[in-house]
Amino acid sequence: MTNAADILHQQATRKVMTRLLPVLGIAYFMSYIDRSNIALAKTALGADVGISVAAYGLGAGLFFLTYALLEVPSNMILYRIGPRIWITRIAVTWGLVSAAMMFVQGETSFYLLRLALGATEAGLFPALMYMITMWFAQQHRVTMVGLVYLAPCIAIFVGSPMGGALMELDGLAGLHGWQIMFLVEGLFTVLVGGLVWFTLPDRPADAKWLTQPEAAILTERAVGSSAPHPATLGTTLRLAFGRPVVLMLAAIYFINQAIGSGVGFNFPALLQELGLKSPFLIGLVAGSSGIAALAGVLFFPWMKRRFGHEIALIGVCTAGVLVIMTTFLFSTNAVFSVLLILLSSFFSIGTLPLFWSVAMSRMSGLVAAAGLAFINMLGITGGFVGPYAYGLIEESTGNVFAPYYTIVGAACVGVALVPVLALVIRREKRIVVPPSEQAVPEPA
């Protein structure tokens, strides 16, 4: 039976969904566009400034290198100074660097700007996940993460044709089309930083559109009952970085990102290889993967709410990617091959709300700030390895399809890791936290 406290919590949660999630979604939307728009520029960068296929793969992946290295420090700063200031800083600086991509003159400047873009954007995604742990109860988090993931899905669907349309302006003001794309999309991100500054509260108690009882019950119920709470810094580090469940989550995320980035950053070039020539048409077809991804981030959280079994659903998603990539290797029909790549997004992105819900259920407070960033740090290095390995294999073989054999191998590893994750979660649930490490009040 629903009591008054439950009704109050439901009312407050609906308010947060309509006020907070759109701001987080817009920031994540632009981050996805600004990190991935080089996929549309791959061929043009080669023709205009001489960037080779292998150099492109390295540059695409270098973003994730600095992004990963600075994840934990970034989220620790966010924990101390608050999400509003820090996410604003992230958006403004990465927007400026993204716009500066228009000044790429060769491989060295390409590498340096991609490194700078990763450094300035570092911490954004774990910051968004950390905010969900502050504002939403565990039973709502898989849905909320799924809604946040609507942003990259829409970015894939809208951003690719939008970027392609900007590239069609080639010659305007004496600029190449790819220069116009980087400039316009980067400056728009700076404006998003201003939106964050004026609209994003740090915590429920700071939201003027919540009543005091609403803010209080949101804060109370956002603390996960299954998440261990540390009493010392040493315990915090051990819970955030050293637990088997954290390391297994990071490993699975690494595989997911390596496959997704390797395929995604090279999909437009694959479409060119299959015969498409117009940048807008290439962007439109590549962006269609966002439709499949959108279906995935809505379908799998719905499955979890209806049937439970998050780990089993993660297993279904990883197996789905393996089956699709294996089928792709044996496909001889261009249209069917493209459809398979589009469908892979349904599983590879659809699994992510489930993945982060499992991670959030094991963390809260400072452990969540550090632990979520740590998982993202280790996992996102797959975003470096995937495009780099793809570029090396493609250049050494001269075959645009050769990297997919490695992708299938990585998908096999991902499937094998899921039952191991289930095992370590079962074992962790049997461990009792010692009294010396029980929860203590966190600083206000």
Side-chain angles (χ1 to χ4, degrees):
M1 181 176 180
T2 304
N3 58 35
D6 292 333
I7 294 173
L8 179 65
H9 184 245
Q10 291 172 4
Q11 173 184 307
T13 300
R14 284 194 296 268
K15 281 188 179 181
V16 177
M17 286 179 63
T18 57
R19 296 291 192 109
L20 186 70
L21 288 184
V23 180
L24 302 182
I26 291 171
Y28 195 29
F29 173 88
M30 287 311 302
S31 78
Y32 204 87
I33 284 180
D34 288 339
R35 77 172 64 170
S36 61
N37 54 14
I38 61 163
L40 293 170
K42 178 181 178 180
T43 302
L45 287 170
D48 295 336
V49 295
I51 294 177
S52 68
V53 171
Y56 168 81
L58 176 58
L62 283 175
F63 165 89
F64 296 98
L65 187 61
T66 47
Y67 187 101
L69 290 174
L70 296 175
E71 285 283 80
V72 173
S74 178
N75 240 36
M76 298 298 282
I77 294 172
L78 173 137
Y79 180 79
R80 294 302 178 188
I81 71 175
R84 174 171 166 262
I85 294 175
W86 197 241
I87 294 176
T88 298
R89 194 284 305 161
I90 291 173
V92 170
T93 54
W94 111 59
L96 292 174
V97 173
S98 183
M101 286 287 295
M102 68 178 292
F103 299 114
V104 167
Q105 296 296 315
E107 293 179 0
T108 300
S109 58
F110 180 57
Y111 296 155
L112 291 175
L113 283 167
R114 288 294 290 179
L115 286 167
L117 187 63
T120 52
E121 193 185 321
L124 175 69
F125 182 75
L128 303 184
M129 296 299 99
Y130 173 63
M131 288 202 70
I132 288 177
T133 70
M134 293 176 62
W135 290 77
F136 295 102
Q138 176 60 29
Q139 69 265 29
H140 296 139
R141 288 176 186 169
V142 67
T143 300
M144 300 308 142
V145 176
L147 292 175
V148 169
Y149 267 109
L150 292 180
C153 297
I154 296 171
I156 295 169
F157 179 62
V158 175
S160 291
M162 180 176 67
L166 290 171
M167 288 185 65
E168 295 277 10
L169 300 176
D170 187 76
L172 180 66
L175 298 174
H176 294 296
W178 56 270
Q179 291 178 306
I180 295 172
M181 178 184 68
F182 286 135
L183 176 63
V184 172
E185 293 180 349
L187 292 181
F188 187 81
T189 298
V190 175
L191 297 179
V192 171
L195 175 69
V196 171
W197 175 261
F198 288 109
T199 61
L200 187 69
D202 280 323
R203 54 185 180 174
D206 297 329
K208 296 179 181 179
W209 34 268
L210 288 173
T211 65
Q212 192 279 328
E214 288 171 339
I217 199 165
L218 283 171
T219 301
E220 174 188 340
R221 297 198 176 185
V223 178
S225 60
S226 63
H229 302 277
T232 66
L233 178 60
T235 304
T236 297
L237 296 177
R238 180 176 63 80
L239 291 174
F241 304 154
R243 295 153 64 197
V245 66
V246 171
L247 298 175
M248 286 307 307
L249 286 166
I252 292 172
Y253 193 44
F254 176 92
I255 297 294
N256 176 276
Q257 293 298 294
I259 293 173
S261 297
V263 173
F265 277 117
N266 293 279
F267 190 32
L270 176 66
L271 292 173
Q272 284 185 304
E273 183 75 15
L274 294 174
L276 292 181
K277 301 301 180 185
S278 165
F280 175 73
L281 185 58
I282 289 170
L284 187 63
V285 176
S288 299
S289 61
I291 299 175
L294 179 64
V297 299
L298 294 175
F299 176 74
F300 288 108
W302 175 80
M303 288 288 288
K304 190 270 176 184
R305 291 193 301 272
R306 186 171 178 85
F307 301 108
H309 306 296
E310 283 172 311
I311 305 301
L313 288 172
I314 292 173
V316 169
C317 290
T318 54
V321 172
L322 173 59
V323 170
I324 288 169
M325 288 299 148
T326 303
T327 306
F328 175 86
L329 286 177
F330 293 98
S331 172
T332 56
N333 181 278
V335 174
F336 184 58
S337 297
V338 170
L339 290 175
L340 287 171
I341 296 296
L342 297 177
L343 181 60
S344 68
S345 297
F346 175 78
F347 293 102
S348 64
I349 296 180
T351 191
L352 295 177
L354 306 169
F355 174 89
W356 289 108
S357 175
V358 171
M360 290 174 185
S361 70
R362 313 307 305 162
M363 306 176 190
S364 66
L366 180 57
V367 172
L372 294 174
F374 181 70
I375 291 172
N376 205 49
M377 178 192 74
L378 294 182
I380 208 70
T381 55
F384 166 73
V385 173
Y388 185 41
Y390 192 111
L392 288 177
I393 295 169
E394 181 183 348
E395 186 164 274
S396 64
T397 62
N399 184 348
V400 73
F401 299 100
Y404 287 89
Y405 288 94
T406 302
I407 287 171
V408 167
C412 289
V413 176
V415 171
L417 288 176
V418 175
V420 181
L421 173 64
L423 177 62
V424 297
I425 287 177
R426 286 197 299 270
R427 287 183 174 177
E428 185 174 86
K429 286 179 179 179
R430 295 197 295 267
I431 298 174
V432 178
V433 180
S436 62
E437 298 180 5
Q438 293 298 312
V440 295
E442 293 199 21

